[in-house]
């Protein structure tokens, strides 16, 4: 797949049979527990970017930088258009301003949007407001308002645009880690940069783009932890083998395998997941899914390394430490995100515990008991959220973009300077690039077969991210849902598509004609996706266009 195939660089020994793939089927038993042999089995012949010649090494910096540059230009140009709060910005932007002023949400007077749009946000009321989403995303919106002001749309949306741009950088680096291919890494970053759904969410201050970013950061940290843990396992088993006269660890040492110590990247993943859950509670599904995924990686590592009790040893020496490294850290980080609420005197439910003493839970500090009650009430709200909405979309329709959300729509007439025909339209529709989304949906089926048939861990990792972000929504069919929720798993959808593009590229050992034809097909697909994004771009950025041009872009009746 692209430049992914791991071909052993060790010279053949006498008596070894070398199959056409270039990898020996059998190694000498005396070599099985050397550091080199263990690393080869566990992580392959991974090369550092420093091992490449300078002429190639520079591309390891240029590719992520260029994809991020493209993403940043698309997200920051005309970021202040439209010059008004759109869709749910009416909640989150005003909450973010309240955070800057008081550290918690406060109420707004009637018709507050008019004043806010006019550049006069300082009309907050003194009473607290009840909200049902945690603080992290609103604090990230508030960061842009602190830097560029609360009286202009650029300040409102800077945090979202920066986060969307950084997520393009992250996905490029993650794809480079997964596929070890610069062309595939560039494809992943570019496809995310030009996709309309991600672009719209990066140009409007809703919470989901921040959730997506922290989930992606946690996934990247776990990828680094996977290699780090396997290097530690290889090194510790090799040290035990080196001091043994048999040239291998003792039977007792191979019964469960060694402890691997503190896994710093796993701690970083736990902190990222705490921030994800601190943005939206749906991050909990990613925490559970990633937790299972990282333990399965460790179990398989112990099996491949030759540890006999790899299941029990992995559960005790990897699974329990994984839980301790991620869940408590995520809980502590999540709780810390409520600091503004803790420091306040009159935030919503802040004094609930003092007014409602409890015999059974009195041992819990009042602030924590009040926060627990807040969460219980918010959970009840989410459970009962089933009101009708014109743009609600069942999760079944998300992958085919059956009902994208309209964030903004106006019809400027010829009396305005923007419109020079009888009727115009200006819209923001959270629809993705159809070529990217529809082919990516098909790619998921390919990945299922590749994971089940070839046991490719990369396919399993991508599917785990997709499953954690997508499948839980089917548990709540009565709940009001929107298509833009899908941005939380969109990076994994892009990775699934790029995985299949890697299959089209072929392997390093394939004939030249095969590699060249694969490269042409992939380049043609990327070019078509970019051109289609250029066609849909006005629909994502509130550009004024003739009404008929807007109609041409409504490929499905349900998009209207």
């Amino acid at each position: 797949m692209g430049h992914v195939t791991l071909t052993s660089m060790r010279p053949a020994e006498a008596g070894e049979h070398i199959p056409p793939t270039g990898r020996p089927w059998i190694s000498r038993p005396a070599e099985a527990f050397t550091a080199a042999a263990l690393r080869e089995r566990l992580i392959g012949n991974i090369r550092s970017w420093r091992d490449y010649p300078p002429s190639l090494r520079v591309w390891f910096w240029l590719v992520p930088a260029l994809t991020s540059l493209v993403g940043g230009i698309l997200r920051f140009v005309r970021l202040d258009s439209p010059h008004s709060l759109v869709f749910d910005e009416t909640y989150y932007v005003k909450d973010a301003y309240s955070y800057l002023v008081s550290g918690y949400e406060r109420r707004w007077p009637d018709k507050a949007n008019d004043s806010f749009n006019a550049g006069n946000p300082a009309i907050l009321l003194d009473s607290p407001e009840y909200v049902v989403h945690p603080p992290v995303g609103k604090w990230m919106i508030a960061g842009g308002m602190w830097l560029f002001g609360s009286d202009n749309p650029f300040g409102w949306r800077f945090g979202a645009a920066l986060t969307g741009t950084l997520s393009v950088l992250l996905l490029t680096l993650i794809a480079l880690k997964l596929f070890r291919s610069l062309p595939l890494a560039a494809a992943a970053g570019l496809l995310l940069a030009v996709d309309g759904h991600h672009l719209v969410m990066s140009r409007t201050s809703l919470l989901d783009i921040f959730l997506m970013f922290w989930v992606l950061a946690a996934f990247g940290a776990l990828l680094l932890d996977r290699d780090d843990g396997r290097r530690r396992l290889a090194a510790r088993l090799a040290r035990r083998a080196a001091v043994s006269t048999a040239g291998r660890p003792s039977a007792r040492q191979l019964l469960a395998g060694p402890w691997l110590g503190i896994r710093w990247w796993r701690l970083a993943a736990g902190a990222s997941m705490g921030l994800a859950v601190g943005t939206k509670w749906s991050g909990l599904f990613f925490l559970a899914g990633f937790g299972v995924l990282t333990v399965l990686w460790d179990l398989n590592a112990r099996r491949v390394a030759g540890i006999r009790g790899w299941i029990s040893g992995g559960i005790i020496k990897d699974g329990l430490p994984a839980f301790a490294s991620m869940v408590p850290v995520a809980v502590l980080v999540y709780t810390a995100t409520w600091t503004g609420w803790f420091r306040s005197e009159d935030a919503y439910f802040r004094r609930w515990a003092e007014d409602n003493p409890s015999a059974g839970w009195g041992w819990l500090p009042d602030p924590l008991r009040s926060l627990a009650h807040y969460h219980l009430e918010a959970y009840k709200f989410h459970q009962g959220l089933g009101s009708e909405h014109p743009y609600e979309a069942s999760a079944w329709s998300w992958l085919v973009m059956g009902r994208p959300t309209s964030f903004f729509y106006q019809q400027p007439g010829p009396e305005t300077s923007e419109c020079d025909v009888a009727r115009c339209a200006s819209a923001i529709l959270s629809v993705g690039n159809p070529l990217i989304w529809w082919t990516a949906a098909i790619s998921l089926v390919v990945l299922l077969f590749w994971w089940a048939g070839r046991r490719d861990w990369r396919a399993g990792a991508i599917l785990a991210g997709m499953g954690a972000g997508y499948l839980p929504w089917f548990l709540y069919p009565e709940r009001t849902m929107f298509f833009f929720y899908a941005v939380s798993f969109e990076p994994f959808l892009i990775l699934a598509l790029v995985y299949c593009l890697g299959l089209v590229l072929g392997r390093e050992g394939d004939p030249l004609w095969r590699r060249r034809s694969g490269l042409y097909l992939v380049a043609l697909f990327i070019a078509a996706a970019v051109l289609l994004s250029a066609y849909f771009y006005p629909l994502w950025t509130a550009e004024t266009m003739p009404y008929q041009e807007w109609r041409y872009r409504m490929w499905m009746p349900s998009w209207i």
Side-chain angles (χ1 to χ4, degrees), residues 221-253:
L222 289 179
L223 284 178
L224 293 171
D225 172 75
R226 181 184 184 274
D227 284 356
D228 179 61
R230 290 176 173 234
R231 288 191 187 95
R232 294 189 191 195
L233 181 61
R236 297 186 184 198
L237 286 176
R239 283 200 297 268
R240 285 161 173 74
V243 298
S244 171
T245 56
R248 56 185 295 173
S250 66
R252 181 179 179 183
Q253 291 171 334

Side-chain angles (χ1 to χ4, degrees), residues 282-303:
S282 52
L284 286 169
F285 297 115
F286 287 100
L287 176 60
F290 288 172
V292 172
L293 179 66
T294 188
V295 173
L296 290 177
W297 283 345
D298 283 346
L299 290 176
N300 187 59
R302 289 178 182 265
R303 180 187 66 82

Side-chain angles (χ1 to χ4, degrees), residues 162-481:
L162 179 62
T163 300
T165 303
L166 290 177
S167 66
V168 173
L169 173 63
L170 263 182
L171 187 68
T172 307
L173 295 173
I174 286 171
L176 188 58
K177 182 69 175 175
L178 271 177
F179 306 125
R180 305 176 204 169
S181 166
L182 284 169
L184 293 182
L190 185 60
L191 289 174
L192 187 66
V194 302
D195 179 65
H197 185 236
H198 190 273
L199 179 64
V200 168
M201 299 306 295
S202 300
R203 292 173 60 92
T204 50
S205 285
L206 275 64
L207 301 181
D208 301 80
I209 192 70
F210 306 110
L211 168 65
M212 179 276 307
F213 175 79
W214 292 117
V215 165
L216 193 60
F219 183 73
L222 289 179
L223 284 178
L224 293 171
D225 172 75
R226 181 184 184 274
D227 284 356
D228 179 61
R230 290 176 173 234
R231 288 191 187 95
R232 294 189 191 195
L233 181 61
R236 297 186 184 198
L237 286 176
R239 283 200 297 268
R240 285 161 173 74
V243 298
S244 171
T245 56
R248 56 185 295 173
S250 66
R252 181 179 179 183
Q253 291 171 334
L254 287 177
L255 183 61
W259 294 93
L260 300 183
I262 299 175
R263 307 275 286 270
W264 298 107
W265 283 115
R266 195 171 266 169
L267 290 172
S272 296
M273 288 312 308
L275 293 169
V277 178
T279 303
K280 292 187 86 169
W281 287 355
S282 52
L284 286 169
F285 297 115
F286 287 100
L287 176 60
F290 288 172
V292 172
L293 179 66
T294 188
V295 173
L296 290 177
W297 283 345
D298 283 346
L299 290 176
N300 187 59
R302 289 178 182 265
R303 180 187 66 82
V304 172
I307 294 170
R308 297 172 182 174
W310 56 273
I311 296 179
S312 57
I315 291 174
I316 295 172
K317 296 189 174 182
D318 291 320
L320 295 179
F323 181 90
S325 299
M326 292 181 65
V327 175
V329 171
V331 170
L332 288 174
V333 170
Y334 175 83
T335 305
T337 66
W338 288 83
T339 299
W341 184 88
F342 282 120
R343 289 170 57 89
S344 71
E345 294 294 328
D346 58 348
Y348 212 90
F349 284 137
R350 178 63 181 83
R351 300 297 176 185
W352 180 88
E354 298 174 11
D355 299 332
N356 297 270
S358 170
W361 295 94
W363 55 272
L364 195 65
D366 284 347
L368 291 179
R369 196 158 64 87
S370 295
L371 185 62
H373 178 74
Y374 194 127
H375 281 65
L376 178 62
E377 293 300 314
Y379 176 76
K380 291 177 181 177
F381 172 86
H382 284 296
Q383 287 294 95
L385 188 60
S387 58
E388 295 286 335
H389 194 283
Y391 285 98
E392 62 181 309
S394 167
W396 292 105
S397 68
W398 290 358
L399 293 182
V400 295
M401 302 185 297
R403 185 59 169 164
T405 312
S406 176
F407 284 9
F408 174 81
Y409 182 80
Q410 285 184 349
Q411 287 190 349
E415 69 278 1
T416 63
S417 59
E418 296 89 0
C419 182
D420 55 3
V421 296
R423 191 180 179 190
C424 292
S426 176
I428 298 177
L429 185 68
S430 68
V431 65
N433 181 310
L435 181 61
I436 294 174
W437 275 76
W438 293 342
T439 54
I442 298 171
S443 299
L444 294 175
V445 180
V446 177
L447 259 70
L448 279 172
F449 282 101
W450 221 257
W451 172 66
R454 296 291 186 94
R455 293 293 190 271
D456 191 334
W457 69 271
R458 292 163 299 188
I462 296 168
L463 291 172
M466 272 294 305
Y470 186 37
L471 296 181
W473 291 106
F474 292 99
L475 301 175
Y476 308 98
E478 72 288 345
R479 190 185 188 278
T480 303
M481 292 178 281

